[in-house]
Amino acid sequence: AGATYVGMILAPKGKRHISLEVAAEVAAAARAGGAIPVGVFVDESAEEIKAACAAVGIDHAQLHGDGSRRALTDLPLSIKAIYVVNATAEGAIVTPMPGDEEALMKQRKEELSGEKGWKAAVDWVHGPRRTIDWLLVDGESAGSGQAFDWANLKVPRGCSRKGWILAGGLTPENVSEAIMTARPTAVDVASGVTMEGGVMKDPVKVEAFVANVAAAATKLV
């Protein structure tokens, strides 16, 4: 339908959870359609996340809960990390950030320019992970489909390598306003495009959502 990423709930307790076998099939279909498959985790350890990604054949992991966020430092850089934080109804981010990308890159540059730059490079590669690829900002009750105040949202600069993703209460009807107000790099949707029951996706809603995102994006250029 035009989505860039397709998320798969791999956390066993999730109501939209699918098995690794089914996830592998979904991942293959996503890639065939030109999208990047993403595994969504909540309380899994780094070892569990790495094993699941290997089994499914994916290299993108969304770290949705406290357990998976703590696993970040033990994940290899080969797994692209989407780090989820939560914002209150007023738009205040209440989840600790993983690190300042700009500050870390400055530190790395200084260390590499020293007399033992070669050792700093080795230590950096083999040391604990310090950066994320994407920051995803969701509502305070992640996965609930509840929106928050986009106008008051303040996303720290330099917190990720590729940008930030807006989630939480987005629908085909409000996503254009959300994009124009918060100006995220990308948007994420689940509950807002489901059928009654909140599990199965509604193709009509998905197509309308993607079309409205594309239309809003052209206005930002």
Side-chain angles (χ1 to χ4, degrees), residues 3 22 24 32 35 42 44 49 59-60 87 98 125 134 140 161 187 194 218:
V22 172
V42 178
E44 289 69 32
I49 293 172
D59 61 0
H60 281 65
V125 171
W134 292 94
E140 196 162 13
R161 294 180 58 245
V187 290
T194 59
T218 60

Side-chain angles (χ1 to χ4, degrees), residues 1 19 21 26 33 35 54 58 63-64 72 75 102-103 121-122 131 141 153-154 156 159 173 176 202 213 215:
S19 68
E21 292 76 19
V26 173
I58 57 177
L63 311 180
H64 204 73
L72 173 68
L75 290 178
E102 291 181 357
V122 172
T131 60
S141 179
L153 181 63
K154 301 288 189 298
C159 59
E173 292 74 29
S176 294
D202 184 326
V213 169

